[in-house]
Amino acid sequence: KQEVTQIPAALSVPEGENLVLNCSFTDSAIYNLQWFRQDPGKGLTSLLLIQSSQREQTSGRLNASLDKSSGRSTLYIAASQPGDSATYLCAVPSDFAGNMLTFGGGTRLMVKP
Amino acid sequence: KAGVTQTPRYLIKTRGQQVTLSCSPISGHRSVSWYQQTPGQGLQFLFEYFSETQRNKGNFPGRFSGRQFSNSRSEMNVSTLELGDSALYLCASSLALAGGSVTDTQYFGPGTRLTVL
């Protein structure tokens, strides 16, 4: 059974700092890995999806990498801003259609002005 | 294009009652998945519907059920509510052309906050 872990559970950084969020998974036979953002009491917003054949994906100040062999993914946020404050979740699908996601517990990020 | 919508946004029920939640996917999306989010268990997969058929099911009791209509809209029902059913219920839709692929991104709705008293 796939297990997804995110460390740290919470992170507080000053504005402008570059930071890395970690995600690990136990079964390396994944189809893809997706990073989401969740604001308090809200739904999830998809940030990046990395296919199993890819090593990384970039969107603006965000860069996600994937190392299947070690069961790890990282989300790099450059020049953090207070608006980046949210919970970040990673998820992997258990089916080829990609619609049965197993989520990590999330990292709650606070960026202080 | 409108995003995933869920109704109602907030719901308060008492133990033993039943509840129905609704989800309208993004236009053209054929797959709808449901998730339960609680502080203790995090996000857990409930079930997924594609072309009006339940394709995947998570590890939840039979009190949790769902269906999908021909227009891809989906409903989930929880019968005989328990205090532990209090949670944020999220639905997600994806394009799922030809049944779906690993390149499909899931788009989530804002959720329905269910409180069971």
Side-chain angles (χ1 to χ4, degrees):
Chain A
K1 179 190 168 190
Q2 178 74 270
E3 292 184 4
V4 181
T5 304
Q6 291 185 248
I7 295 173
L11 185 62
S12 181
V13 301
E15 181 178 3
E17 193 163 297
N18 301 325
L19 57 100
V20 174
L21 306 182
N22 297 296
C23 171
S24 61
F25 43 93
T26 55
D27 185 349
S28 62
I30 62 170
Y31 300 111
N32 63 43
L33 185 142
Q34 200 164 351
W35 282 93
F36 294 90
R37 167 188 172 139
Q38 185 175 32
D39 293 287
K42 303 287 181 63
L44 277 63
T45 300
S46 177
L47 297 173
L48 291 163
L49 183 150
I50 313 176
Q51 298 176 45
S52 63
S53 59
Q54 297 176 317
R55 297 281 299 190
E56 63 179 60
Q57 276 279 15
T58 298
S59 175
R61 295 183 293 108
L62 305 179
N63 176 277
S65 67
L66 176 64
D67 184 344
K68 280 181 56 179
S69 61
S70 67
R72 292 181 185 178
S73 176
T74 61
L75 179 66
Y76 175 82
I77 303 177
S80 58
Q81 304 170 357
D84 294 330
S85 298
T87 296
Y88 291 81
L89 297 132
C90 65
V92 295
S94 302
D95 63 322
F96 183 77
N99 297 324
M100 188 173 169
L101 297 177
T102 297
F103 282 86
T107 294
R108 190 170 63 254
L109 172 66
M110 177 172 290
V111 181
K112 298 175 289 186
Chain B
K1 187 183 269 192
V4 178
T5 59
Q6 292 187 244
T7 57
R9 293 294 312 280
Y10 303 92
L11 207 47
I12 300 176
K13 292 286 188 179
T14 57
R15 278 182 299 173
Q17 288 187 309
Q18 75 165 22
V19 67
T20 299
L21 313 181
S22 180
C23 172
S24 293
I26 292 172
S27 177
H29 282 197
R30 301 167 67 195
S31 168
V32 174
S33 301
W34 289 89
Y35 293 83
Q36 180 196 66
Q37 186 175 32
T38 60
Q41 299 297 319
L43 269 156
Q44 293 184 289
F45 173 81
L46 279 157
F47 29 63
E48 183 228 352
Y49 286 87
F50 174 77
S51 291
E52 301 178 62
T53 300
Q54 187 181 87
R55 190 161 62 171
N56 287 302
K57 189 177 191 313
N59 189 26
F60 278 82
R63 301 185 296 107
F64 292 81
S65 63
R67 59 177 175 168
Q68 185 181 35
F69 302 94
S70 58
N71 61 358
S72 293
R73 190 178 70 86
S74 177
E75 289 181 347
M76 69 162 280
N77 184 77
V78 188
S79 63
T80 320
L81 285 166
E82 300 176 0
L83 295 179
D85 297 333
S86 295
L88 181 66
Y89 289 88
L90 295 163
C91 86
S93 74
S94 65
L95 194 57
L97 288 176
S101 84
V102 295
T103 61
D104 277 354
T105 296
Q106 287 208 54
Y107 296 89
F108 281 77
T112 294
R113 172 74 63 183
L114 172 65
T115 301
V116 182
L117 302 176

